Every structure is written in structure tokens, then in C-alpha cells.
Amino acid sequence: MMFYAHTPKCHNDGATDDWHKLSDHLNGTANLAEHFASFFADGKGLARMAGLLHDLGKYTPAFQKKLHGAKCHAPHSAHGAKKAIESCGDLGYLLAYAIAGHHAGLANGKGYDSKRQALKRRIENCNLDELADEWQTEIKLTDAKLMCKALDKFKSDKDNRQFQCAFLVRMLFSCLVNADRQDTRAYYDKSKEEPCASQPSLEDLHAKLEKHMHKFKPDTSDNKIKTINDWRNKILTSVTANAALEQGIFSLTVPTGGGKTLTSLAFALKHAIKHNLRRVIYVIPFTNIIEQTADIFRKALGNEAILEHHSDFNLDNLRGDDPYQGKEKFKLATETWNAPIIITTAVQFFESLFAAKTTKCCKLHNISS
């Protein structure tokens, strides 16, 4: 029997695409999840296992009948979650949260309320005997013993162990949700490229910013400070000279008019390049400051580098040369934060870190370096 993940797309001319093979979807999702997890420590094997198991429940006759039009109840997330626990023990629970929640959102650890069930409740009625034997030959699971190394460093840190494990679950959840959606979208759109994937590098943006700021550099041949631009240039030189320092927390106190907006961007880009980071994220508390900052950055770097994500952003303002132009593309970009420079609010940022919904957490793995 052939097993499928998604029904084919019917076109206006009556043509029908090939069905999306389940093994292709599981392996494709696993490959993407593994790639997304490669940017944070010890996550690759876990993310790959989550990708392979996330739709395991589609290897059931009931789900296949549902794909072909039958009206029947055929949940599919619990099977992979239960199999993860059976195969990997305690480590499997971390995977189970991500797998069981890849549509419904993260489950509670214990207890439940009107919005979130406990993981135990989500998987308690799942019967692994329903699975067809084909899944064991069509996908190859990661060795659980190798993945256990991911938790070794938690054992010696008893004070932070629970938080670290919980946050690892969120990172895996983010990788899985984004990978699942991207592989499904690629099947339906016949494209392997993530929307807005073609972006300028941080090196290109830094060079462009330097060129933009060069016109503000004063003539200091006599080593005398004469104008406000002289002070701005002195501040810029002093700040960017520290961009090669080790990663950490930095502060910048500059009077109004001192050029701190572009100076902070110059530092951030140079610092990110030095440490081989992927993007710069500006978290700002007030939307009016965000809009002002985004306008300054766009004038310096162009539209293609900036993703402005906050509740007051007007989609009608998207311009023709903007890579996020169009509501659907902008929606995808804000869900994944796949852009070199993100400007957002503290609310959006912390919701990404601690929310349970798929759309809120989907971008979390792109916050990592």
C-alpha cells in the first residue's frame, strides 16, 4: 500500500498534481528541521527525529481513507509523540511535546485548562498497533543513544535544568513547525526555496551602511571638532572600535542628536559579522520609535533588508520593490523572521520566547545565532 501525506492540488485546467508521498514529507521535514537546529547546540539529531516522527500517525488506514474523502476521525500527531517516548525514554518526552503540538500548540506538562491539554491526555488514547508496518522501512530513525548526549550538560546544572529542557523543547518545536510548513508549502507551490530566501548578506549591508554614512563624515584634517557631525563621527568611531569584543551585553548612552540609531546599527552589523551571526534583531518598546527607526534603516539600506514586525504596521504601505510585498509573503516573513534585520516590539519578542501557539513560536529557531 502507498501512503500519502497530502492530497494533490487540482488546477483550473483540470490537471491534478501527484500525491505527496508520506515518506518524502517525513524525510523532507526531517532534513529542514535538522538544518534549522544546526544553529543551536546539540539540537540536530533531536530535530531530525521530531521531523521523522511528526506525521507518523498518517501511516494508519483511517488517515489514508480520510485523505481519499472518507468522513472519519483520524488524528495523527499523537502516534509520533508516543513512539518518541517508547523509543527514547525521558529524552522522548522532549520530542513528544514538539510532535504532539505541531498543529495544536505546545501541551501543558501537568493538568490542563480550556486552552491547553496536558501531554498525557493528548496521547493516552493513541494505539501504536494501528500503524502499518511500512513506516519501519520507509523512514530511518536516529539512534537514541547518540541523541542522549544533548542532555549531558543539563545533568550538572541542577538549578537551571528544568528551564533549559523546557526551552530546548520550544526550540525543537519551532524547528519542527517551520520545517513541516515549509516542506508542505514546497509541495503545493512546487518550490524548494523558502519565501524571501534571497537576501543581502550582513557584509553587503555593512558596506552599504558605511557608504551611506560616509557623506556625514566631517573634515577633521585639523583635528578640531566644529559641528554636530564631528561629534557623531567621534561617537561612531568609538563605538564601532569595540565591535570585535566578545559577545555579551553592551550599553550605549548618547544624547539626542548624537546619531545613536545608525551608530548602533553599524556596531550590530560589525559585531554580527565578527562572530558569524545570521541576523540583527532590534527590540524596541514603543511602536512610534520602531517606525522612525525602520524609516532610517530603509533610507540607509533599502527595503530588501528590513522586516518591520509590530501590530501597527500597515500592510498597505508595502512597496513594489519590497521582498515582503504582498500580505501572504509578509505574513510568512513575520512568522519565521527570515530576514537579515528585524525590527519588532518587546511584546512580539517575548511571545516568541514563551508562547505556546505554533504561529508565535515558529520564528524562535531564527533568533538563535
Side-chain angles (χ1 to χ4, degrees), residues 2 17 21 29 34 49 67 114-115 127 139 205-206 222 268 272 282 296 323 337 346-348:
M2 188 68 72
D17 291 337
K21 288 180 62 177
T29 301
E34 182 179 30
M49 178 74 100
L67 279 185
S114 59
K115 295 181 180 180
N127 182 7
I139 60 175
L205 293 177
H206 183 254
D222 57 3
Y282 269 77
I296 293 173
W337 277 6
V347 171
Q348 292 282 359

Side-chain angles (χ1 to χ4, degrees), residues 295-313:
D295 285 341
I296 293 173
F297 287 178
R298 287 194 181 98
K299 288 177 182 177
L301 302 177
N303 294 328
E304 69 276 4
I306 313 300
L307 176 62
E308 185 180 351
H309 183 199
H310 55 85
S311 59
D312 286 350
F313 185 77

Side-chain angles (χ1 to χ4, degrees), residues 93-109 113 115-119 122 166-174 176-177 352-358 361 364:
Y93 277 97
L94 301 186
L95 296 171
Y97 280 102
I99 294 167
H102 78 272
H103 287 306
L106 286 171
N108 276 338
D113 51 37
K115 295 181 180 180
R116 295 174 62 190
Q117 291 180 327
L119 176 64
R122 286 192 184 181
F167 206 79
L168 177 59
V169 168
R170 291 182 177 277
M171 294 295 284
L172 296 171
F173 177 60
S174 173
L176 176 60
V177 171
S352 302
L353 294 177
F354 298 111
K357 294 182 178 179
T358 56
C361 293
L364 182 57

Side-chain angles (χ1 to χ4, degrees), residues 37-58:
S38 65
F39 296 98
F40 60 88
D42 304 317
K44 291 174 62 177
L46 292 167
R48 181 167 189 82
M49 178 74 100
L52 290 171
L53 290 175
H54 81 286
D55 277 353
L56 190 66
K58 293 184 178 182

Side-chain angles (χ1 to χ4, degrees), residues 78 107-109 111-113 116-126:
N108 276 338
Y112 65 95
D113 51 37
R116 295 174 62 190
Q117 291 180 327
L119 176 64
K120 182 179 179 180
R121 186 181 175 110
R122 286 192 184 181
I123 66 175
E124 62 185 356
N125 295 321
C126 171

Side-chain angles (χ1 to χ4, degrees), residues 94 151 153-170:
L94 301 186
L151 299 182
K153 65 181 181 181
F154 296 157
K155 295 178 181 179
S156 60
D157 191 357
K158 295 182 180 180
D159 293 337
N160 298 311
R161 184 187 303 168
Q162 289 185 327
F163 178 80
Q164 289 174 333
C165 287
F167 206 79
L168 177 59
V169 168
R170 291 182 177 277

Side-chain angles (χ1 to χ4, degrees), residues 3 19 36 63 118 128 141 167 181 264 289 293 298 301 349:
F3 291 86
W19 285 69
F36 295 151
F63 189 88
L128 293 180
L141 299 183
F167 206 79
R181 292 180 177 182
S264 65
I289 302 177
T293 302
R298 287 194 181 98
L301 302 177
F349 186 76

Side-chain angles (χ1 to χ4, degrees), residues 45-85:
L46 292 167
R48 181 167 189 82
M49 178 74 100
L52 290 171
L53 290 175
H54 81 286
D55 277 353
L56 190 66
K58 293 184 178 182
Y59 276 106
T60 58
F63 189 88
Q64 294 303 309
K65 289 178 182 178
K66 184 176 181 179
L67 279 185
H68 286 83
K71 294 183 178 179
C72 58
H73 183 61
H76 65 274
S77 299
H79 295 79
K82 196 165 187 176
K83 187 62 184 178
I85 296 172

